[in-house]
Structures are given as C-alpha cells and as structure tokens.
Amino acid sequence: MFKWFLSQAGEDSGVFDFPASLKGNPKTLVFLDRNLEKTAAFVRAMPDVFFKNALLCAHESQQVLISARRATAVYYTDLECRYGENAFEELEYKFRAYKPDVCIYLGEAFLPTLYLAKVCGAGCRIGFADENCFPFLNVCLKPAQSSEAALISQYYYGAK
C-alpha cells in the first residue's frame, strides 16, 4: 500500500531550507492527531498568532476544540477520509489550492492523510512519529523533553 500511495503522490520533493523556511509564521497546513487529548495539548500550547496563517485538518469530533481557538479548519469524517471518495478528492483540492509553505503532520502514520500531506505542495513536510514516512514527510523531529508545540514554536518564533 505504501508504494501504491507513493506512486499516486509522486516521489519527488521540492527544495526547502530547514529551519529557515519555518521563520516568520509561514503559511502552514497542520494535520492534527485523531487523539483528542494530543490534539488539545498542541492546539492549546500554540500561540494565537500561529492560527492566523494556518489551516488545520481535523476529524469532525474536534470542532469544538478548534473553534475555541478561532482557527480555520477543514474537517473530515471516517467515511470521507478514504482515497477515491468524492469528499477525499475535495480535501485534496482544498489543500492544493491553499498552497502551504509548510505542512505539519501530528499523529500516527495513516496513508491517506500522508498522501494528502505530500500532494498539498508544501516543500517542508514535518512529522514527529516515524522516519519511515519519507518522502510523504521529509523532516522528522523528535522532541526530547518538550512537546511538539514547543518545538514548532521554537522554530517559528524563536520561543524557548
């Protein structure tokens, strides 16, 4: 399945300068974790300014959490997040049209959303779970003692 999704997405990746490409709050697409507690921790820890230039991709069960931060999001259901469904193609269209500079992928590897991360057009695609997601994701960060939000904030805003 991995190879099939990769053939659909294309193996090539654009050039980017890491970590310089994260400075200044670039246009960012964020795939949130399906786990509500993990997503809540990330969303609550990020500064308000982050959400001004971010589009979140989240499961429909997370609408209340995300709307509390006044963040822009695209929601999906379990039935819609399957390759080949009309709703899935709409997600793909929205993410390509958004044209993010950076993609942040939180959570476990799931081939349909990894495919969407790859085809969104972001040169820098950051994950935290697994180096084996390359080339869907092309940067793997491992927060040693901080959270994903703290690590991202450090790169985006120089926060410690």
Side-chain angles (χ1 to χ4, degrees), residues 21 25 29-30 53-54 57 61 63-64 82 103 105 110 129 157:
S21 61
N25 203 31
L29 173 62
V30 182
N53 214 17
C57 177
S61 63
Q63 286 183 350
V64 172
R82 296 188 301 195
C103 177
Y105 191 93
F110 180 59
Y157 312 107

Side-chain angles (χ1 to χ4, degrees), residues 3-22:
K3 288 182 180 182
W4 185 85
F5 271 101
L6 185 56
S7 71
Q8 297 303 314
E11 292 189 43
D12 59 325
S13 290
V15 176
F16 64 96
D17 182 8
F18 183 85
S21 61
L22 303 185

Side-chain angles (χ1 to χ4, degrees), residues 7 16 20 25 31 33-34 43 78 84 96 111 120-121 123 137 141 143:
S7 71
F16 64 96
N25 203 31
F31 286 86
D33 195 305
R34 284 286 308 268
V43 169
D78 292 328
R96 285 180 190 256
L111 286 173
C120 75
L137 305 175
L141 299 177

Side-chain angles (χ1 to χ4, degrees), residues 39-111:
T39 290
F42 180 83
V43 169
R44 290 181 182 134
M46 292 304 291
D48 289 336
V49 69
F50 176 79
F51 298 104
K52 294 186 184 313
N53 214 17
L55 176 63
L56 309 179
C57 177
H59 188 267
E60 67 178 350
S61 63
Q62 299 173 344
Q63 286 183 350
V64 172
L65 170 69
I66 293 167
S67 65
R69 288 303 302 261
R70 299 178 191 249
T72 304
V74 173
Y75 299 99
Y76 63 88
T77 67
D78 292 328
L79 293 177
E80 293 171 337
C81 203
R82 296 188 301 195
Y83 186 88
E85 297 289 332
N86 288 337
F88 187 87
E89 290 174 3
E90 274 186 50
L91 290 174
E92 182 177 350
Y93 173 79
K94 287 177 183 179
F95 299 150
R96 285 180 190 256
Y98 183 65
K99 297 181 182 178
D101 299 308
V102 176
C103 177
I104 298 172
Y105 191 93
L106 302 166
E108 300 301 317
F110 180 59
L111 286 173

